[in-house]
Amino acid sequence: MPSSQEPLPTASAAPHILVADDQPDIREALRLLLKAEGYSIATAASPAAVLAAVQGADFDAVLLDLNYARDTTTGREGLELVSELQALDTTLPTVVMTAWGSVEKAVEAMRRGARDFIEKPWDNPRLLATLRTQVELGRALRRSRRLESENRLLRRDGAPELIAGSAAMRPVLQLMERVAPSDANVLITGEHGTGKEVVAQWIHAASGRAARPLVAVNLGGLSESLFESEMFGHVKGAFTDARADRIGRIELAEGGTLLLDEIATLALRQQAKLLRVIETGEVERVGASRSRRIDVRLLSATNADLHVEVTEGRFREDLLFRLNTIEIHLPPLRERRDDIRVLADYFLQRYAARYRKPLSGFEPEALLTLETHPWPGNVRELDHTLERAVLLAQGNSIRNADLGLRGSGPSPRLEELPLEEVERLLIRKALERHGGNVSQAAKMLGLSRSALYRRLQHHGL
C-alpha cells in the first residue's frame, strides 16, 4: 500500500482514530493502513459500539461507514450516527465512507456535521491526506475551545442582573445581602431553572473575592472517571492520556469562589474525596507527590433535597454539614408570578435587540398565557420561550401563537410533531409530574441524571 510522505500532525502522542465498519475485512485493512502511518487505532462494528467508544475515550477523528447490516444501502443509520456524534462532541472530526456514494448523500452527511466524504474503494493517499487534515483541524479547534472555556471560567465581570420583585423573593434577597460579604459556604437549592447559578454569581460579585475568579463546575455532566483530573488536576504521565500537567478547577478558583453545581449527582466515592479537600484545605493533583494549600469559598447548588439524599444513603451527612453553613432556597416561578411579566419584558428586550426585531410588547392573550403557564422549567424555560417567540414574531408585538406554549393554540397530535419537539414535550411532562426533580424525572424517562441534564441544556429547559 502506498505510504504518505508527509509527517503526522505534531503532537505528544499518536493521533487516536476510531474506525467504524460492519465488515471485519474493511476494519482490518484500515487498521493496518493507519497503523503503518503511526496512528493509534480503535475499531467498532456497529453504531452502538461507536457511541460507546466515543463516550469512553478521546479520539482525534472518526472514520465512519454509512451503511450497516440493518440498513445496507440507504446510509440512514450512518447519517443518524453522524448527528449523534455531533451532539456528543462538536469538535470531533467525522469522515464518512460508503460504497454507495452520491452527491446527495455526501451533502446530507456534511449537513449533519461530517467534515469530509470518502467513497469505497478508497484511494489510500487521498484518505490519509483527508484524515491528516481533519486531525489537525480538530486539534486546533479543541485547543481554541479549551482556551475559550478557561478564559470564561476565570472572568466573571460584575454582578448579574437579578430580577426579583415578588414577595416570595424578598427574604431570599435579604439573606443574600447578609451572607455575600462573608466567606461562609452557601448551599443554593431550588428546582431546575430557578436561577441558582445567577444567585451564585451575585453572591460572588458582592463578596470580598469579587476581583478573583468564580469557577463553576457542573458535576451532573462530569463522569466519575474524570472527576479527580477535572477537580484536582493532574501531572504529566499520571495516566495514559495525561500528556501535560493540568491545573484542576479547585486551583483555578484560588482566592475566589468555586461553584459546585448539581452537587447531589456526585457519587459517594467522589464525595469522600471532596470532603477531604474541604477539611484539610489542601488539594493534591493526580500523580503528584505533594499537596497544595488552597483558599477557596464554596458555593453549591442542587435541585434535590439533600436531607432526603442523606436519609436514603446517597449523600454524606458530614459533607452536607460542610456545604450548608447557610442555605438559600429559591422558589419556583409558579410561586413568584408577580415576577413573570417583569422577566418576560426583560427577555423580550434582550432578544429583540439581539435579533434586531422591532418588538414593543405582548398582545393581551399572550400575556395571559405567560402568567398562567405552570413553567415546569422555571426562569430558564421562560428565557427559552421568549427567545423562540422573538424569532417567530412577525408583527410589532408577541402573539399567543408565537409562544408555542400549551394552551396558546391548537395542539397538534404527538405523531405530527418533529422528534425534537416530542422529546422536549416528554421531558417537560416528566419534570412537571415530579415537581421539577431532575433525578425522579430521569428515572421516569429511563435516562441517567447526566444524560437528562445534557438534554435539558439542549432544549433550553
Side-chain angles (χ1 to χ4, degrees), residues 112-225:
R112 292 180 181 231
R115 301 284 181 83
D116 214 327
F117 190 83
I118 299 289
E119 288 191 61
K120 297 177 183 176
W122 61 83
D123 176 71
N124 283 351
R126 181 177 184 277
L127 186 149
L128 292 170
T130 298
L131 201 55
R132 181 180 297 106
T133 299
Q134 293 308 325
V135 167
E136 289 174 343
L137 290 174
R139 286 183 166 183
L141 180 58
R142 286 179 172 181
R143 282 194 299 271
S144 174
R145 292 282 178 88
R146 184 172 63 250
L147 288 172
E148 180 184 337
S149 176
E150 288 172 355
N151 288 337
R152 187 166 60 250
L153 285 168
L154 292 171
R155 287 201 300 268
R156 301 278 184 166
D157 300 326
E161 292 193 61
L162 192 60
I163 299 171
S166 64
M169 285 296 292
R170 203 165 298 134
V172 174
L173 298 177
Q174 292 170 351
L175 185 56
M176 288 167 58
E177 289 176 356
R178 288 202 299 271
V179 304
S182 73
D183 270 347
N185 291 341
V186 178
L187 175 64
I188 307 167
T189 62
E191 293 179 8
H192 197 76
T194 48
K196 297 184 289 294
E197 186 171 358
V198 174
V199 169
Q201 292 171 8
W202 192 96
I203 290 173
H204 172 73
S207 74
R209 297 173 177 264
R212 302 295 296 165
L214 167 63
V215 177
V217 186
N218 181 3
L219 297 175
L222 196 62
S223 68
E224 290 187 32
S225 61

